[in-house]
Amino acid sequence: MLGAPHPVIASATPLVPLPRRPLDPAVASGQVRRWYENELGWPTVPGDPLRLAVGVRYDVLDVPAEAGYAALRRLPADSPVALHGDRMLFLVAAGSAEELPGLLEWLDWGSLSLDLVAVGAGGLMEAPSRPVPREKRDTPLSDSLPPPGPPGRVGSQGAAVWLRPPEPGCEAGASLPTLSALGGCEDAPDLVRLVNTVATQCHRVRLRRVCAQPPASRAQGR
């Protein structure tokens, strides 16, 4: 004979999954390193923070972020661009750093002091964190970018981030600005136009900063 069923007593504390432990920084760094090396084919260097070897697959054009925002419209959406503090980093074709001094001379910018730096073979770039995969983004990455702020307050402090991330499976060289675009390579962005645009914007930024200084400081800077 079966006994009477026992009453079911509801628990006062709902059963919820335990919170996940935060990912170990070393594990996270290893995952990002594998993403760069295995999925993108970009060489990295040992140690932390994770850094990328420049001059192998690409060079870097390092400009003030305030000037860089004006140049973004000159590039296709798949051309990689990163932001690190108040600096914007444009990935350009490998070998472009060697061409920059002559290119600035040819564009009549060579005699002016511009806050524009090219990083080539032997240089390093802090690796931006891995971006959210395209299929998991609620909105396009470019739509979520903060608008450029006032002079001296542009950019995000801290680690580097991708404004326009590289896409695994896509040939990076085809999306990088290069001088060969002048020779009829229609698919590649034009390095000359990009350099001329950022040089113009760097000069305007410099003039605005000089004009914002007190008269005494301007006289000392001459």
Side-chain angles (χ1 to χ4, degrees), residues 39-40 42 57 78 134 166-175:
E39 297 192 33
L40 294 181
W42 292 5
R57 299 292 302 276
D78 61 347
R134 182 188 294 271
E167 296 292 343
C170 298
E171 179 58 41
S175 63

Side-chain angles (χ1 to χ4, degrees), residues 20-102:
R20 294 182 178 179
R21 296 178 58 185
L23 194 62
D24 184 270
V27 175
S29 178
Q31 291 178 349
V32 176
R33 186 183 298 276
R34 286 191 294 273
W35 181 75
Y36 277 108
E37 293 182 346
N38 299 341
E39 297 192 33
L40 294 181
W42 292 5
T44 65
V45 296
D48 285 322
L50 178 59
R51 293 172 297 174
L52 306 173
V54 179
V56 180
R57 299 292 302 276
Y58 53 83
D59 287 356
V60 174
L61 195 61
D62 182 337
V63 305
E66 186 179 353
Y69 277 106
L72 286 177
R73 68 178 65 96
R74 297 279 186 178
L75 294 173
D78 61 347
S79 189
V81 181
L83 186 70
H84 190 187
D86 60 355
R87 308 292 297 184
M88 192 170 290
L89 310 174
F90 293 88
L91 271 60
V92 294
S96 298
E98 297 180 3
E99 304 287 349
L100 184 64

